[in-house]
Amino acid sequence: MATQEETFKKLVSHCKEYGFVFPSSEIYDGLGAVYDYGQNGSELKNNIKKYWWDAMTRLHENIVGIDAAIFMHPTVWKASGHVDAFNDPLIDNKDSKKRYRADVLIEDEIAKLDDKIQKEIDKARKRFGDKFDEAQFRATSQHVIEHQTKRDQLHDRYKKAMNDVDLAELKQIILDYEIVDPISGTRNWTDVRQFNLMFSTEMGSASDSASKIYLRPETAQGIFVNYLNVQKSGRMKLPFGIAQIGKAFRNEIVARQFVFRMREFEQMEMQFFIKPGTELDWFAKWKQIRLRWHKALGLGDNKYRFHDHDKLAHYANAATDIEFEMPFGFKEVEGIHSRTNFDLGQHAKFSGKKIEYFDPETKESYTPYVIETSIGVDRMFLSVMCAAYKEETLEGGDSRVVLSLPAALAPVKACIMPLVKKDGLPDKAREIENLLKFDYNIQYDEKDSIGKRYRRQDAIGTPICITVDHDTLNDNTVTIRDRDTMLQQRVNISDLPRIVEEKVSFKALLQKVAQD
Ligand code: ATP
């Protein structure tokens, strides 16, 4: 059995080999933590975006979408706090010369202790079988108590240091817990420093008149500064939401794990404006709505969990992450935050404009509160790929790599294959292509054996293959082959649009999300 790490490596090379993801500027040896999406990757990514966009804007009559510019007035980032506080605490190892995020090093240490506790529990569960009582074991096992105490103490110190932005204490924690550099294995650390993650550039031609502007590190601010425009032009009543999909840029220090942490990435964010005092109810509701959106894809309900934040930003009064089980552990894919009236309040202060809502029922004006849902397209892409990638051994010793993608997200919905390149079969196959291509992304393939053609489509996750043979010319039937079961079935050509629609449509997916 391949380890998770090996499988992940294989997935990364599969992504390149089959046109999903390429390193950026690869002929120049690439650019750190920047990636390009290829012919199949961009289709899959577009489908993810469509799924999100439609779920937000079509399933909620009070949510509308916008598309704000990447460049924004520099004061936006002063007001939002990003100029002063969008920092990561960095630490260098003097032996390996590698740079790390101090918070990540400590969080990894906490995760290690959690793992140790879990291992003890798993071992005991095996030993005691049905009689096993986890709560009792946790309360009495000497090993578990020791690990738990160490973990809780570490966690409390870490939480306090982060909340106080106490860089010296972060370093002290790393020293006290004897955290070593994974590469050099040493504890020869520098001090912890702050590093701002925003990229900046200059706008205007003459250097003296040019002003420093930033590449947005999140899309959310484009929504906040348009709150009044959308509210007024759309005559929106609270509660209402504004959704947006777009690029964001962060000068990440520790860029790793493929498209999980990139310097240029894409976000899908929605800010939901509400009456102050209702935020915790809405926060709970949005947690459920968003989890339902994820689970409707059928990647496995046990692969998700919420991770509530210990360290709340000073303006937030609740925050959670939706984590997905990647081959390298449970990782954040989406954040849901209750941001109070912080952002609108800050923009009102810095712009000198009144940014409020007049409540026609209570006849009062106030600054709305906000619940934000923020998901990375690329991390979503990665979770879908990780869950879908499978290596299967088939009967007869043959093997295949198959991407069991949710059919609605698959880059290619169906591939049409004439059995041979003659006898009029290609013409018939082209007719079928014309029947389907205006609704779906369809491929036509006449090269190599049918077996090889199936494997090619399996590798990019095409849900249906349609084979045209000599009988087709007489009876207008074709063989359709299912990607996952590999079962074949004879069907009428006239039934194909319905069959394909039932398999790949977004409708069924959206209906699942809409269920209450
Ligand atoms: P992390 O703690 O992993 O750095 P974050 O908490 O800073 O993430 P947010 O600011 O909440 O992330 O951004 C919302 C979402 O944007 C994240 O849940 C993630 O899916 C995505 N995202 C953030 N940074 C990156 C990145 N560097 N590369 C890819 N996606 C990202």
Side-chain angles (χ1 to χ4, degrees), residues 250 252 260-262 265 267 332-334 374 376 379:
R250 296 183 188 178
E252 299 279 2
F260 183 80
R261 190 173 297 288
M262 298 153 90
F265 58 100
Q267 288 185 313
E332 171 184 345
V333 171
E334 171 157 5
S374 172
R379 286 194 192 175

Side-chain angles (χ1 to χ4, degrees), residues 47 196 224 346 355 386 484 508 511:
N47 291 336
N196 193 290
F224 289 124
Q346 285 292 98
I355 308 181
C386 288
D484 300 321
Q511 280 170 336

Side-chain angles (χ1 to χ4, degrees), residues 80-82 218 221 312-318 337-343 346 369 372:
S80 68
H82 283 81
E218 61 174 29
Q221 298 305 324
L312 288 177
H314 58 280
Y315 50 84
N317 60 7
H337 311 122
S338 170
R339 297 177 70 120
T340 68
N341 57 5
F342 173 78
D343 302 87
Q346 285 292 98
Y369 270 36
E372 156 183 278

Side-chain angles (χ1 to χ4, degrees), residues 45 87 90 130 242 268 281 299 435 446 449 454 459 484 499:
K45 200 170 157 211
N87 300 316
L90 291 190
D130 289 345
I242 305 179
M268 307 190 278
D281 281 348
L299 303 179
L435 181 69
E446 59 177 25
S449 70
Y454 282 163
D484 300 321
I499 292 170

